[in-house]
Amino acid sequence: MELDFKKMPDGLIPAVVQDAATGQVLMLGYVNAEAWEKTHAEGRVTFFSRSKNRLWTKGETSGNFLRVVSLHPDCDNDALLIRAIPDGPTCHRGTTSCFEQPAQAALPTAPVGFLAELERLVQRRYQHPEEDPKSYTASLFRKGMPKIAQKVGEEAVETVIDAVAGNTAGLSGEAADLLYHLLVLLTAAGLTLEDVVAVLRQRHSTIAAGTRRPQDD
């Protein structure tokens, strides 16, 4: 995996940073050969700052680092997509993305992207319950798996009842409750959405290849 820095007169290649969980575009920066090597070596995104005229590791002052998940040069090796997990707001103004304006509502994410955001918050409540001890999520974790599993069961039944009754207005709310409590259950069990999606991907690939039929489930 190489980048062709010689294509650029200043040796700087544009790098788009994308949230690996939500898919949201976080920022645009530039990397030279040294920044590329440092990013590889440390697993944190490092740019070449044109204003500072030096290497700049995102988060070196704020602590809001961008932890590298994967690096993807484009087809001509003169642009870069970095998939990363942000340790906090990416923009110095406190917004998630540098492409958001503080006076405007946050840029909407795709439905799956929002689930990833919600999962991240649930995981934080699990790992750091002291940050918001009155939170409903933290209280569920304190009650343990039996209570969490009970809530998933209750919400599943209520979702089914509204679906069978044709109550679409209530169905969306019950489905939302079910998805939320399922995220809590997965977190308590040490699993993630990615673990579930990996199973779906595997099933999809075998069905697409013709080696497994949907009715075999």
Side-chain angles (χ1 to χ4, degrees):
M1 183 168 55
E2 298 294 335
L3 290 172
D4 192 352
F5 295 100
K6 294 180 181 178
K7 279 188 176 181
M8 304 301 175
D10 54 6
L12 298 179
I13 283 180
V16 174
V17 182
Q18 178 186 41
D19 189 312
T22 68
Q24 185 176 12
V25 174
L26 300 177
M27 67 175 295
L28 170 70
Y30 294 85
V31 297
N32 61 5
E34 290 179 276
W36 174 242
E37 292 173 5
K38 187 174 173 66
T39 296
H40 263 287
E42 298 183 355
R44 290 174 172 173
V45 179
T46 293
F47 300 104
F48 181 85
S49 171
R50 295 175 297 174
S51 59
K52 298 180 176 67
N53 196 35
R54 64 171 176 83
L55 293 186
W56 168 60
T57 298
K58 176 69 181 74
E60 64 185 26
T61 302
S62 66
N64 296 332
F65 296 101
L66 293 168
R67 293 179 282 119
V68 175
V69 172
S70 58
L71 301 162
H72 305 271
D74 77 344
C75 55
D76 294 320
N77 294 323
D78 58 4
L80 179 64
L81 172 65
I82 303 175
R83 297 177 65 249
I85 297 296
D87 285 337
T90 297
C91 185
H92 68 281
R93 301 166 302 171
T95 56
T96 300
S97 168
C98 291
F99 295 96
E100 296 175 30
Q101 297 300 319
Q104 298 174 349
L107 292 172
T109 56
V112 173
F114 178 76
L115 281 179
E117 287 183 18
L118 182 58
E119 180 184 45
R120 189 177 291 167
L121 177 60
V122 168
Q123 290 171 342
R124 185 158 190 88
R125 292 288 182 264
Y126 181 69
Q127 296 164 357
H128 303 284
E130 73 284 354
E131 290 182 350
D132 189 0
K134 294 183 179 180
S135 121
Y136 174 69
T137 306
S139 72
L140 279 176
F141 286 127
R142 285 195 297 270
K143 292 173 183 176
M145 182 60 85
K147 180 60 176 178
I148 295 170
Q150 177 187 336
K151 288 297 297 181
V152 171
E154 291 172 357
E155 300 302 342
V157 169
E158 291 171 2
T159 299
V160 169
I161 290 173
D162 276 344
V164 172
N167 180 14
T168 55
L171 178 58
S172 59
E174 296 301 342
D177 290 341
L178 176 58
L179 285 172
Y180 159 75
H181 285 93
L182 184 57
L183 287 177
V184 174
L185 183 143
L186 288 172
T187 300
L191 296 172
T192 66
L193 275 175
E194 182 55 37
D195 295 315
V196 177
V197 171
V199 175
L200 292 173
R201 284 198 184 105
Q202 178 59 32
R203 291 178 179 175
H204 175 73
S205 63
T206 54
I207 291 171
T211 57
R212 184 169 174 270
R213 298 170 301 169
Q215 58 266 37
D216 291 336
D217 292 339

